[in-house]
Amino acid sequence: GFGPPAIVAGGNGSGNAENQLRQPAGIRLREGTASDDWVLYVCDAGNHRVMRWTSTSLAGECVAGSIGGAAGSGPDKLHWPCSCDVIGNDMYIADTFN
């Protein structure tokens, strides 16, 4: 069976720090590498970014969008990402307002 529930992403109140989320909208869970059991991608809509957590990380890593939480329409910006997928080395993001 499964173990007890655990918080693996966020869990430190709402905000834009690496260990926080603001209005998460979608997730994608992938098999990890040799050193990680899994990789979790979270569309952090309120911070206009996609965060990546691994089974061994204590904080997330911004892999797309704004590190500081600002929306935008440029090629390196997101405005309310709601879903994502990772296929091979490519990430696909559904970005609500772009």
Side-chain angles (χ1 to χ4, degrees), residues 40-76:
L40 177 68
Y41 296 90
V42 179
C43 292
D44 186 10
N47 283 317
H48 312 288
R49 65 187 182 181
V50 176
M51 297 293 287
R52 176 183 179 268
W53 270 269
T54 67
S55 57
T56 58
S57 63
L58 298 176
E61 171 189 13
C62 181
V63 294
S66 173
I67 293 173
S73 61
D76 61 339

